[in-house]
Each structure stands twice: as structure tokens, then as C-alpha cells.
Amino acid sequence: MKLASSILLLASSVSAFAPGSTQGKTTQLNSARADLEELAKASNPTINYYDPLSLAEADFWGEGEDATIGFLRHAELKHGRVAMAAFVGYCVQSNFVWPWAMTKAGDSFPSTDLSPEAQWDAMPANAKWQIFTVIAALEVWDECGGGDQPHYMRGRTAGKYPSFKNFSDNVHPVLNLYDPFGLFGKMSQEKKDKRLVMEVNNGRLAMIGIFGFMAADAVPGAVPALNNIAQPYDGDIMAPFAANFHIFS
């Protein structure tokens, strides 16, 4: 059932890693609020623009309202992408693991008899550090704009991950995260806008979905709809290295 769910999500979110764009034109800082409200209406016509905490009117780090909106939009798109990857990964990992050895010593990947959370706990600490190192490197590249793009709080389109061109030219050839083979370079702005709305909505749904799985596994009965497929887990979901060490103990 989880595998079927992942297939459905993939089918509905083929635009998951499309670069963010605004409705009708690229974001300019002086129209950040208007673009945000327009995107909100497009993504949910029933609720429209909804900001009960007035975050869009805040002034994060003294950078101004437009920069704050850039930060918030970029953060939502990023977390939505991570959640989509996590949701699909959870579904796949519940049913399939790589058949080859995980370590040079010949250890196999943790079995699907374990929940995804328990599989993570069973991973060697070195493997976890490798994963977090790659994530950290991707974050640094995003924050520095790939060396030639402005920060997303200062004009870069929210959600647009920098190209790896500078890295490929000066360090080692790598494929871009989005459109690695250059298939969507001529996509119309109208289609980009439509895909952005799809990505935002799928990301929000995926955030609810992955936390639903985690809650159902950690607290039996917490999500009645998942009672028949949840796999009880008694570890600490919010402590990724709890099986190896704990910073508070």
C-alpha cells in the first residue's frame, strides 16, 4: 500500500524539482508581497492568502519585508521538496532495499522487516555522516548562489537552486539538480507558473504525509488511517544519531 502511495505521488508531482517562478513574471523584490498573494490564490482558491502570524510583514534580520518574503518562500519550497523525497523514500524503503553490499565489509542494507526509522538507526555512523556532509555541501552551494547568482533574499527567484556550472568548470563535472539534461530550457512561462503551483501544493501535502507516517509509527493509533500499515518504532525520531550517540547524554 505504501508503494502504491509513492507511485501516485510521483505521478502527481513530476514537477517536484522545477525552479520556482512567480505568477506571470520573475520575482522582483519590489513586488514580493503581490507575488506571494497571487501565488497563494492560485495554489488554494478556497483559502486564498492566509497569514495568521503576519510573517510576511516581519523583518527578519533587519533585511526588510521583501527579503523576509524571499526567505519564507524559498524555505517552503525547499522543505516541500525534502518532504516529497522523504515521503517517496519512506514508501520505497518500506518495500525495497538495495540488493548489493552496503559496506566494504560486506554488510547488507537493513532489511525491510524493519521500519524506515529503524533501518536508519541500523545504518553505520559513517554512512550517516556521508549523507549529512552531502546535504551540508548542497546547502552551502545554495546559500552562496553557486558563486554567480544573488541570494534568494536579495533578488534570486525563490526556490531556484543554483547551477553547478562553476563547480563543473573549475572542480569536477556534475549534473544539475534540476533539468540535468537541459530538456526544459524552452518551457513557457505559463507552464512554469502552473508547475510551481503544483510543486507548492504537492510539497505541502508531502509534509503532512511524511509526518503522518512518522507519527503513526512513533505513537500507535495516532493516525487511524495508517493503523494497518504503520510499523511501531520506539526510538527517537528527532535524534538522527540516537543509535550512535546523543548530544544531551
Side-chain angles (χ1 to χ4, degrees):
M1 185 173 181
K2 291 178 182 176
L3 182 57
S5 298
S6 69
I7 294 174
L8 289 174
L9 183 68
L10 281 171
S12 66
S13 59
V14 292
S15 63
F17 296 96
S21 62
T22 64
Q23 300 300 300
K25 64 179 181 178
T26 302
T27 300
Q28 300 296 321
L29 287 180
N30 59 6
S31 63
R33 179 66 174 273
D35 290 337
L36 179 63
E37 293 179 357
E38 191 173 352
L39 175 61
K41 293 176 182 178
S43 60
N44 194 323
T46 301
I47 297 178
N48 290 322
Y49 182 70
Y50 182 67
D51 183 16
L53 300 179
S54 298
L55 290 177
E57 300 174 10
D59 183 10
F60 290 1
W61 306 290
E63 294 287 336
E65 181 180 302
D66 291 337
T68 297
I69 291 174
F71 173 85
L72 293 171
R73 288 192 59 195
H74 194 80
E76 180 180 23
L77 285 164
K78 182 189 298 184
H79 283 84
R81 291 166 182 168
V82 171
M84 284 187 277
F87 183 90
V88 174
Y90 184 102
C91 295
V92 173
Q93 199 166 326
S94 296
N95 298 277
F96 172 83
V97 296
W98 299 119
W100 51 79
M102 176 178 62
T103 67
K104 291 183 178 180
D107 298 323
S108 60
F109 284 87
S111 169
T112 54
D113 292 336
L114 301 174
S115 68
E117 300 93 340
Q119 289 181 42
W120 171 263
D121 286 345
M123 293 276 286
N126 286 342
K128 297 176 182 177
W129 282 117
Q130 289 174 28
I131 293 171
F132 275 98
T133 298
V134 171
I135 293 173
L138 292 174
E139 282 290 292
V140 170
W141 192 255
D142 184 24
E143 291 298 318
C144 72
D148 58 5
Q149 295 184 31
H151 195 266
Y152 49 81
M153 292 179 69
R154 296 181 177 85
R156 193 199 330 160
T157 302
K160 183 177 181 180
Y161 193 84
S163 165
F164 287 131
K165 186 178 185 306
N166 281 340
F167 189 90
S168 295
D169 291 344
N170 299 290
V171 183
H172 189 279
V174 292
L175 296 175
N176 288 322
L177 290 184
Y178 171 71
D179 195 16
F181 303 110
L183 302 178
F184 307 117
K186 297 183 179 180
M187 186 186 302
S188 68
Q189 187 62 46
E190 181 181 2
K191 190 170 184 178
K192 288 180 180 180
D193 295 339
K194 183 178 179 180
R195 286 163 66 96
L196 172 61
V197 173
M198 292 170 58
E199 179 178 19
V200 169
N201 285 334
N202 283 321
R204 291 169 179 171
L205 182 61
M207 284 187 269
I208 296 173
I210 187 59
F211 266 93
F213 279 148
M214 294 167 64
D217 290 347
V219 184
V223 186
L226 299 178
N227 283 346
N228 294 329
I229 59 176
Q231 302 179 64
Y233 173 71
D234 59 1
D236 190 343
I237 288 179
M238 296 302 174
F241 287 92
N244 311 104
F245 65 86
H246 204 297
I247 61 176
F248 297 114
S249 63

